[in-house]
Amino acid sequence: MPLQTFHSHQPFTLESGAVLPGLEIAYHTYGTLDRHANNVVWVCHALTANADVADWWQGLIGEGRVIDPAKHFIVCANILGSCYGSSGPLSVNPATGAPWYRTFPQVTIRDIVRAHMLLRKHLGIEQVQLLVGGSMGGYQVMEWALMEPERIGRLFLLCTGAAESPWGIAVHTAQRLAIEADGSWEEAQPQAGAKGLKAARAIGMLTYRNYHTFVRTQTDPDKEKTDHFKASSYILYQGDKLVKRFNAQSYWLLTKAMDSHNIARGRHEEVMTTLRQITQKTLLIGITSDILCPPEEQVLLATHMLNTIYHEIDSPYGHDGFLIEFEKIGRILAGFLEEE
C-alpha cells in the first residue's frame, strides 16, 4: 500500500501540557487483516526511519520473509515529531497556516505511543499479535505494552532498554550541541540547522558502529596518506546522506523524546518493578558489539520481565546490527513465532 495519512481533528494534549490542535499520522500497511483480526504485526521504528518498514527492513519483512504480508497484516506508523508525514516541525500549524518549525512542542515516548493508539483505533485493530521495535522503537513497544496491556500480544525487542541510559543522554546532548552550534538551526525554513545535523550524524555514527567496525572497513591501504582518509570520507558521506533526507529540528526534538524514556516514570520507584508489569511473552535480542545500547541493557530486561527469551548475536556491526543481521534475526524470530 502507498503511504497513507490519518487526520485526527481532536485536540491532542502532550505530556508537557501543550496541546496540538489536531494530529496527522503517516503510515504504511502491508497485507490484509484476516477475518479473525488476529494477524497484526505492528513495527515501531527508530530515530530517523520512516513508515515504509518493508523498505528499510526488507531482510525481515516482505514476500517469503519471516514477517510476510501473505500471512500478516503489517503496520508501521511514522512517529510524532518526525519529518516523514506525521505531525512535526515541518507540518503546518493550523493556527498560523505556516509550518511549526522550531515552535513544535516537545514530545515524549509516551506521546508517540498515544498517537499510535489513535491510529490503532482508526484502523479498527483490537489486538496487536506481535509488537516489534529496535532501539528507540523498543522504547515505544515497552511503553505501549504497559499502556494497553490488554491490546498487545507478544513483544519483539532488539538493542533497547527500559530507560535511556546516562551514556545515551550524553550522546544526544552532544548531538544537540552540534545542531545548536549551527546559527541557522532555529530559522523558519526546512534546511535550518543542516550543517549542525551533519555534525550530529557524525557523532551518532561513532555509537552506531564501533572501533572494530571502523578498523575492519575504513582502514586506508595507503600508508603514506596525511589527509583525506577513508574513515573521514565515510563520516562526511553519512552526514551528507542524512541531511538530504532528514530535518535538524526533528532530530533535535526526537533525541529529547529519547531522553524522556523511563518506563518507571510516574509508575514505580524502580525500573525493575515496572518491568515485572510487562507480562507478554517477549523475544529479546542483543548485539555483542553494540556500544550504544549494550547487551547488559537487554539482560536487565530478561532478568526482570516475567516471560522472556533472550538471544545474543555475535556481530561486528554494533548497534546497527539489528538492521543488518536479518538472516540471524530472522531465524530466531521464526522459531519464536512457531512456538505456542
Side-chain angles (χ1 to χ4, degrees):
M1 291 285 290
L3 185 68
Q4 302 172 76
T5 305
F6 165 55
H7 300 269
S8 171
H9 302 290
Q10 299 300 313
F12 187 83
T13 302
L14 301 168
E15 269 203 280
S16 66
V19 179
L20 297 175
L23 208 59
E24 292 182 342
I25 305 172
Y27 67 98
H28 275 280
T29 65
Y30 317 82
T32 305
L33 189 64
D34 69 19
R35 63 190 182 92
H36 300 294
N38 63 357
N39 66 331
V40 176
V41 176
W42 194 301
V43 181
C44 298
H45 73 71
L47 178 60
T48 65
N50 57 45
D52 192 5
V53 63
D55 176 60
W56 54 261
W57 222 6
Q58 56 188 262
L60 285 179
I61 294 177
E63 186 178 351
R65 304 297 187 185
V66 63
I67 301 175
D68 190 337
K71 297 185 292 184
H72 304 110
F73 182 60
I74 306 155
V75 184
C76 185
N78 184 224
I79 58 176
L80 179 67
S82 185
C83 56
Y84 287 126
S86 292
S87 295
L90 296 187
S91 59
V92 173
N93 178 354
T96 64
W100 288 89
Y101 293 125
R102 180 66 183 93
T103 64
F104 195 83
Q106 184 57 52
V107 301
T108 67
I109 298 297
R110 292 179 191 176
D111 293 326
I112 291 169
V113 171
R114 286 179 51 246
H116 292 335
M117 289 160 57
L118 281 182
L119 178 61
R120 177 192 64 72
K121 294 172 186 175
H122 169 72
L123 294 174
I125 294 171
E126 295 295 325
Q127 294 287 325
V128 176
Q129 274 59 48
L130 180 66
L131 187 58
V132 181
S135 191
M136 183 187 186
Y139 298 176
Q140 298 161 57
V141 168
M142 281 182 279
E143 277 293 347
W144 201 346
L146 287 162
M147 293 167 77
E148 284 195 313
E150 73 286 357
R151 303 287 185 188
I152 308 300
R154 297 184 179 191
L155 311 180
F156 179 30
L157 298 166
L158 309 94
C159 301
T160 196
E164 188 58 81
S165 68
W167 166 241
I169 292 169
V171 169
H172 300 153
T173 301
Q175 292 178 302
R176 290 192 296 271
L177 285 171
I179 291 172
E180 292 163 7
D182 182 333
S184 72
W185 93 277
E186 293 190 285
E187 292 178 4
Q189 50 103 354
Q191 292 305 310
K195 290 182 178 178
L197 177 59
K198 182 175 178 178
R201 180 63 164 184
I203 295 167
M205 288 306 302
L206 300 180
T207 66
Y208 300 151
R209 301 299 174 90
N210 54 55
Y211 171 87
H212 298 287
T213 304
F214 275 83
V215 169
R216 190 182 73 256
T217 64
Q218 303 303 325
T219 296
D220 275 283
D222 181 0
K223 306 305 178 190
E224 302 305 315
K225 272 190 177 182
T226 59
D227 200 356
H228 307 297
F229 292 99
K230 189 176 179 181
S232 179
S233 297
Y234 174 76
I235 288 294
L236 293 170
Y237 165 76
Q238 290 293 340
D240 287 334
K241 193 168 143 183
L242 184 69
V243 165
K244 289 175 183 175
R245 70 174 180 87
F246 212 73
N247 172 260
Q249 293 166 346
S250 278
Y251 199 95
W252 190 97
L253 187 82
L254 292 176
T255 59
K256 281 277 190 178
M258 292 177 76
D259 291 353
S260 78
H261 173 56
N262 189 321
I263 62 167
R265 178 165 53 82
R267 294 188 175 109
H268 300 97
E269 289 187 9
E270 299 290 340
V271 162
M272 291 77 79
T273 307
T274 311
L275 284 173
R276 287 194 285 272
Q277 310 307 307
I278 301 176
T279 59
Q280 293 91 345
K281 189 170 185 178
T282 302
L283 174 61
L284 290 163
I285 288 183
I287 304 286
T288 54
S289 57
D290 186 352
I291 63 170
L292 182 58
C293 194
E296 64 194 78
E297 297 273 342
Q298 293 86 62
V299 170
L300 177 73
L301 302 181
T303 301
H304 296 285
M305 291 169 66
L306 300 178
N307 195 6
T308 63
I309 299 168
Y310 177 59
H311 289 265
E312 199 166 295
I313 292 175
D314 190 14
S315 167
Y317 293 111
H319 190 67
D320 275 354
F322 86 92
L323 298 169
I324 298 170
E325 297 282 10
F326 57 84
E327 290 185 5
K328 294 178 182 178
I329 293 168
R331 285 194 297 270
I332 295 168
L333 178 58
F336 179 69
L337 292 178
E338 288 169 3
E339 296 175 1
E340 291 297 330

